Amino acid sequence: MNPTDIKAPDYFHRVVDCQWACPAHTPVPEYIRMISQGRYADAYMVNWKSNVFPGILGRTCDRPCEPACRRGRVEDEPVAICRLKRVAADNKGDVEARMPLAATAKNGKRVALIGAGPASLTVARDLLPLGYDVTVFDGDNKLGGMIRTQIPRFRLPESVIDEEVGYVARLGLTVRSGERVDSLKSLLAQGFDAIFVGSGAPRGRDLDLPGRKEAAANIHIGIDWLSSVSFGHITKIGKRVLVLGGGNTAMDCCRSSKRLGGEDVRVVVRSGFDEMKASPWEKEDAQHEGIPIHNWLVPKSFEHENGKLVAMVFEKVAPVVGADGKKSARPTGEPDVRMECDEVLIAVGQENSFPWIERDAGLEFDKWGLPQLNPDTLQSTLPSVFFGGDAAFGPKNIIWAVAHGHQAAVSIDKFCQGQDVADRPPPHVTLASQKMGIHEWSYDNDVSNDLRFKVPQLPAAQALSNIKLEVELGYDDRLAFKEAQRCLNCDVQTVFADKLCIECDACVDICPTDCITFTANGDEADVRERLSAPALNLTQPLYTSGALKTGRIMVKDEDVCLHCGMCAERCPTGAWDMQKFFLETAQSGDRACRRAA
Amino acid sequence: MSFLPKPKLHHPNLPTNKLGYTRRDYEGTISTLCAGCGHDSISAAIVQAVFELEIEPHRIAKLSGIGCSSKTPNYFLNPAHGFNSVHGRMPSVATGANLANRELIYLGVSGDGDSASIGFGQFAHAMRRGVDMCYIVENNGVYGLTKGQFSATADRGSKSKKGQVNADEGIDLVQMALSLGATYVGRGFSGDKEQLVPLIQGALLHRGPALLDVISPCVAFNNHEGSTRSFDWVRAHNEAVNRLDVIVGRDEIVHAQEPGTVDEVTQHDGSVLRLRKLAPDYDAHDRDGAISYLAERKRAGEIVTGLLFVDPEPSDLHAALRTPAAGLNRLGDAELVPGAAALAAVNASLR
Ligand SMILES: Cc1cc2nc3c(=O)[nH]c(=O)nc-3n(C[C@H](O)[C@H](O)[C@H](O)COP(=O)(O)OP(=O)(O)OC[C@H]3O[C@@H](n4cnc5c(N)ncnc54)[C@H](O)[C@@H]3O)c2cc1C
Ligand SMILES: Cc1ncc(C[n+]2csc(CCOP(=O)(O)OP(=O)(O)O)c2C)c(N)n1
Ligand code: SF4
Ligand code: SF4
Ligand code: SF4
Ligand SMILES: [Mg+2]
């Protein structure tokens, strides 16, 4: 193996599992340490810079960081990264003064944003401080997109949305709400320098089954129903409710139903429980509220009497593993299952739809009806039109919408300034020793043994009494501190200096997780097998030195390093050092946002 | 030293032995020795050795004298019995403990100062009496704890950190042990655990006086140019005569694969010492041959390591004294103090 090039930003970035997994590359351990220190506003601003909606995401993020978190590999559960973000948002106090200012001088470029969801708002935040004239159009009356219209209030209070959407709006955003764009061509004709499409994936899939039309009055498309609930158009539901589908929308539908008069609310999925798309915690929350999940049942028909829905019939299926090793569901031949019900919510998926984009506008679509885009620049085949969020590659989540927003803003900025859109700016990276004294570090290297702390919730009965009551209470200071202490500081990197090593084995002996080995060089597959603990997790890199005095090399498996600094404390020559790696993805607004950091 | 305890979290694939313990269960408190001290590697080797032998830690008694080396029993086998005695007196305590309690495995840990200076007489008598123990000398050529004076094992002509030349002849504890009748004698290096771990295992299983001289660089006072106990010097002059594998029951513990002819020694407890020869004509059963081979290689400037001598049928102090099989601590007052009549009978037999 060749010596690892630790100067390449990706190397240490990969070691910070959470940050690497976060689509917006939020510097997670940095803000978690700030929370430990009670520096909530600082923690908030670190988040705000990366992900724009810390208060919203701290309650709703899909949190790809958590399954990636190293802590989950050395004990039962990852750090509660997401809910710690909420702690920063809840306790930050007044951060007005730290926000960037609206540009005083305009740069003469006009940008239109279609849809006011998180993707568009991120583009706005990144471009407005640079002097762009940004106009957002949305068919709805308020900003926020699905954050506002879909996510139920018991998960996300409206005040949080208002606050964080507000930080963007007052940078000088021109808001044209209640205004649907119904022709791309006419928008193009208005002379915008660039257009960003952040219109989401607004169409809920339907189920075309016998009885669907006849019983239509009691059957609703999940996302339409949720937005009606959100707008207050719908305030109650029948006593017996069936929710079809196994994703997060289904979970929001069933939990909302429980709060609007549903007594016997059930979720029915065609897959197995484990295969459901919903996040484990969403399923857990639904079950906690007394909602059963029935699996391996395929909807067959709606039964109705006098135009009123009375029941649904399902076919029983079971998983079979095909010759190709793939699982599929096959009917078991058992009698159908009939469930009586008053109302059904269909939450079986969302689709993109761009009825307002004329097919001869010069914008190419692929066979799935999605725009053809450069995945890095998000530029469409019409050079002045960029996409992001759910509109770009189909429904994802808020944090992906934000990440797209940042990238699109970089592209739009470059495009408007006549630069090469494909030339992406590298991230900002620093690496700094944390050494304060012989065994003193400027980070807390004492590894906590605590297991993950549960976020306190309202008692179920109270939570179910009002659809606007937020269920989760959030961590208090004490729990937040303890949970924050569980973070392993994966950004504080073990940096090795070949020249200083005397091969005394002290680091090997002390390492609590057997990360370090001195061994003969070889090819990677071979070296992985020969380590103190074989490096079986191929997704994690090996850190290798050049040849040492004995001809051997130092190999460190990054997989389960606790970043405890013991290796550096026990090294007699300082060959190991603990250095903080800080990475921020480049944003177009960097220049203007500097005040925020 | 480090101020924090070693984190409890461990590698998710950390193996357990048949007792259900992981290697981590054999550790002690965190070391307070200088970072990089060779002694810490020997502690790690002891942890590894006992874990692999699947011995419950509380079946071991760790005994030591005074010195950095003698502090180390605190850093391994936390649940084991222990006695940190006065300077150079570990062998006496070990002898007494061994006579009293025959159910424990005795692990003596000492330094070159502790064993070759103040405790030289103690060392000699434990060897010649044949106390059944594993006696490890962590040999750094200096008094580490008192800031690096030459010890009695320092080689003549070697230099101190400040440049003084040692004028006195160095004591070779391996030679001493061989001449004094030790039945298992080896030399290892703290920087080579593949060699050291099985040497310790064999010594723990050996039922007679076993001496291991383990070269262990003192990074604070004896790891400089001109020292003959530095990492660099030992690596450059290490002449391993063999490699050992210790086989207990059916489970083979293989530490390294190297070529050479194989010599298998079955010890009294059934364990097998498999010696893979590196020096083709070195015979680990020949006490006199070992003594002259070591003297010859020493003149050539080499440090001979490996299992240098083993007697598969050792005899020990208990056999010589014809003590009861149970150990003195199992006897009642009546047996321990048989009374005037018994004494009179003994005296009569000697007239
Ligand atoms: C029920 C439900 C719950 C969800 N829960 C979560 C969650 O907990 N966490 C999470 O991360 N994600 C969640 N999501 C997904 C998340 O809401 C979306 O991925 C995210 O909002 C997408 O953002 P976006 O910026 O692409 O657009 P969207 O938020 O979809 O906003 C698009 C906006 O564009 C407007 N628009 C569309 N067409 C036009 C037009 N022609 N002219 C003008 N305006 C137009 C729409 O009115 C809408 O306001 C959930 C989704 C649903 C349906
Ligand atoms: C009776 C007595 N004399 C002298 C000392 C001072 N003393 C403490 S440690 C030591 C030498 C230790 O050397 P060694 O056994 O080689 O241990 P190391 O520190 O090198 O591991 C001496 C002389 C003492 N503690 N007690
Ligand atoms: S332990 Fe902390 S730094 Fe490491 S992956 Fe988890 S949250 Fe990120
Ligand atoms: S920081 Fe060093 S000692 Fe701690 S787990 Fe990582 S490699 Fe091991
Ligand atoms: S002084 Fe020498 S022997 Fe003592 S702890 Fe330090 S390095 Fe080890
Ligand atoms: Mg010494």
Side-chain angles (χ1 to χ4, degrees), chain A residues 60-62 114-120 137-140 144-147 150-151 155 179-181 198-202 223 226 248-249 252 282 350 356 388-391 396-399 401:
Chain A
T60 61
C61 188
D62 251 0
I114 305 174
S120 290
F137 298 86
D138 199 301
D140 291 335
M146 286 196 167
I147 291 176
Q150 291 293 322
I151 300 180
R155 286 207 288 127
E179 228 178 288
R180 276 192 69 78
V181 172
S199 59
I223 64 168
L226 282 171
N248 288 340
T249 304
D252 282 341
E282 300 270 342
Q350 265 168 270
W356 51 276
D390 288 359
K396 287 193 169 167
N397 53 39
I398 303 168
I399 191 64

Side-chain angles (χ1 to χ4, degrees), chain A residues 412-465:
Chain A
I412 292 169
D413 186 27
K414 285 190 168 270
F415 179 77
C416 291
Q417 305 306 323
Q419 296 166 0
D420 181 6
V421 173
D423 176 24
R424 309 307 287 178
H428 309 295
V429 176
T430 57
L431 191 62
S433 177
Q434 301 296 290
K435 204 172 175 87
M436 305 271 286
I438 301 183
H439 301 111
E440 265 177 292
W441 306 99
S442 54
Y443 75 109
D444 184 355
N445 64 327
D446 194 358
V447 175
S448 156
N449 291 320
D450 286 335
L451 298 177
R452 183 174 170 125
F453 292 90
K454 280 220 169 338
V455 177
Q457 295 196 344
L458 282 181
Q462 194 187 346
L464 292 174
S465 68

Side-chain angles (χ1 to χ4, degrees), chain A residues 207 218-222 225 237-245 250 253-255 257-258 262-269 291-294 297 299-303 309-314 337-348:
Chain A
L207 280 179
N218 308 108
I219 302 173
H220 317 277
I221 300 293
W225 183 81
I237 196 164
K239 285 200 164 39
R240 297 168 306 171
V241 183
L242 295 183
V243 176
L244 310 181
C253 285
C254 68
R255 294 179 71 194
S257 302
K258 259 272 165 157
E263 283 168 11
D264 174 8
V265 179
R266 307 175 189 191
V267 174
V268 186
V269 289
I291 300 165
I293 297 175
H294 299 267
L297 292 173
K300 219 170 156 181
S301 62
F302 297 96
E303 287 187 4
L309 178 72
V310 293
M312 267 199 81
V313 177
F314 300 91
V337 174
R338 183 175 179 277
M339 292 188 193
E340 295 190 352
C341 57
D342 303 314
E343 244 151 332
V344 167
L345 300 176
I346 302 178
V348 295

Side-chain angles (χ1 to χ4, degrees), chain A residues 439 503 509 514 549 570, chain B residues 1 23 40 193 232 235:
Chain A
H439 301 111
E503 299 174 69
D509 294 337
D514 301 319
K549 248 188 185 159
R570 301 304 298 164
Chain B
M1 60 177 274
R23 195 186 73 239
D40 280 337
K193 286 201 203 66
D232 288 349
R235 286 202 169 103

Side-chain angles (χ1 to χ4, degrees), chain A residues 16-18 28-29 32 69-71 79 81 487-490:
Chain A
V16 197
D17 288 306
C18 47
V28 174
I32 291 184
C69 169
R70 178 164 282 109
R71 182 97 196 180
V79 175
I81 302 170
C487 174
L488 298 172
N489 300 292
C490 299

Side-chain angles (χ1 to χ4, degrees), chain B residues 244-265:
Chain B
L244 178 64
D245 283 331
V246 176
I247 305 159
V248 191
R250 278 166 296 116
D251 303 330
E252 187 165 341
I253 309 170
V254 177
H255 287 97
Q257 299 294 347
E258 269 166 64
T261 51
V262 171
D263 174 13
E264 284 200 351
V265 183

Side-chain angles (χ1 to χ4, degrees), chain B residues 336-349:
Chain B
L336 284 172
V337 192
L343 180 61
V346 172
N347 285 340
S349 75

